[in-house]
Amino acid sequence: MNEHLKHLHGKQKIQYVWNYYKLPIVICLIFIYIIGYTTYGHFSRKDTLLYTGIVNVSTGEQLTGELNGGFLDYMDVDTSKTELKLYAGLYLTDAPDDPNHEYTYASRIKIIASIDDEKLDVVIMNKEAFDAFSQNGYLSDMEELLQDMDSDSLAVLKPYLVTNAVILEDNADDILLNKSLSYEAVTEEYPMGLLISQKGLFKEAGFEDDVYLGVIKNSPRMDIAIEYIKYLYTGK
């Protein structure tokens, strides 16, 4: 075979090598691709500073930039190595006649999966979504969360604390079996959110409807969530 190869030139030699060594060449190329892709992913991967979800609230291009890149600038981090994950366009409703059932279902699955994976820290939402997150017990006690803040920051935020109720126990399953039953629930109330549409970035954006912020109870980034809250209210 080597003697025959010596007498071949140009395309003939390339074709000969390809015919006899096709499989090892393909395997080698795949191996090189995997190593290159893995290496690129390792060096280009960014650390996520915070995961933020926007539910039932539409933010324009400018405000979205402030919620994302603006906060990274505020934290003075290297944006080539650090990012903020912003889940925009999430939609929740319990309205039985809502036409967007599939979109609502997809949003609900996304939210639950993100919470389970500890990849949702802060939620910005309207009243309907705020009630849903509260009732399911997803939100932290904001009063406890903010108690270690400096006194000046705490004084700014306290007027905007909003109490809501978590459902500890109810008879919803029993009602499905017996429609004659009246709904009953055991609930607990505590400050689960902050009204953010009356001060800071959201007020400057001109929101007429109330917008709330909550922090997910199992978030491993509580300290960054607090910094995010400060940023939203001060903008600096």
Side-chain angles (χ1 to χ4, degrees):
M1 183 171 65
N2 290 336
E3 287 296 325
H4 179 65
L5 185 61
K6 291 178 182 179
H7 294 88
L8 297 177
H9 302 282
K11 292 182 179 180
Q12 290 181 330
K13 183 177 288 188
I14 294 172
Q15 185 63 49
Y16 181 85
V17 171
W18 174 249
N19 289 338
Y20 278 90
Y21 298 102
K22 183 186 300 183
L23 182 59
I25 288 173
V26 169
I27 293 174
C28 183
L29 290 174
I30 293 174
F31 184 69
I32 291 172
Y33 171 79
I34 292 173
I35 290 180
Y37 182 82
T38 303
T39 303
Y40 174 79
H42 174 75
F43 287 104
S44 62
R45 185 175 61 232
K46 295 183 179 182
D47 294 326
T48 301
L49 187 66
L50 193 74
Y51 294 88
T52 299
I54 302 176
V55 187
N56 294 7
V57 175
S58 178
T59 57
E61 183 178 347
Q62 181 177 342
L63 181 56
T64 300
E66 290 172 338
L67 294 174
N68 193 338
F71 178 63
L72 297 177
D73 292 339
Y74 168 82
M75 293 295 289
D76 194 24
V77 297
D78 184 351
T79 54
S80 67
K81 298 179 180 178
T82 308
E83 65 180 352
L84 183 148
K85 289 283 189 182
L86 191 65
Y87 304 133
L90 297 173
Y91 180 68
L92 291 179
T93 183
D94 288 327
D97 57 346
D98 187 83
N100 301 310
H101 294 299
E102 292 184 2
Y103 191 67
T104 302
Y105 178 77
S107 292
R108 195 181 302 275
I109 294 299
K110 172 72 173 177
I111 289 167
I112 293 172
S114 298
I115 292 174
D116 288 344
D117 290 343
E118 297 184 347
K119 290 184 177 179
L120 185 59
D121 306 304
V122 173
V123 188
I124 294 168
M125 53 203 156
N126 72 346
K127 184 62 167 63
E128 184 178 17
F130 178 43
D131 289 342
F133 274 86
S134 300
Q135 291 168 8
N136 283 283
Y138 291 143
L139 301 179
S140 301
D141 186 324
M142 294 298 294
E143 205 162 42
E144 290 183 1
L145 182 65
L146 302 176
Q147 64 183 355
D148 293 331
M149 291 179 67
D150 62 273
S151 57
D152 291 341
S153 298
L154 189 57
V156 169
L157 296 176
K158 266 199 167 183
Y160 301 101
L161 286 170
V162 182
T163 297
N164 214 331
V166 55
I167 298 175
L168 303 177
E169 182 181 339
D170 69 6
N171 64 338
D173 291 339
D174 296 333
I175 291 176
L176 292 175
L177 300 174
N178 186 351
K179 300 294 185 181
S180 65
L181 295 176
S182 299
Y183 179 74
E184 297 177 355
V186 178
T187 63
E188 179 183 356
E189 295 188 356
Y190 56 85
M192 298 184 188
L194 285 164
L195 186 60
I196 59 171
S197 50
Q198 295 184 1
K199 186 176 176 62
L201 293 180
F202 276 81
K203 183 177 182 180
E204 293 172 7
F207 276 78
E208 295 181 0
D209 297 329
D210 290 339
V211 180
Y212 301 86
L213 178 145
V215 178
I216 300 300
K217 191 176 289 185
N218 72 341
S219 167
R221 289 164 285 271
M222 293 291 190
D223 54 337
I224 305 299
I226 291 173
E227 292 299 324
Y228 198 62
I229 291 168
K230 291 180 184 178
Y231 165 72
L232 293 180
Y233 275 92
T234 64
K236 57 183 180 179

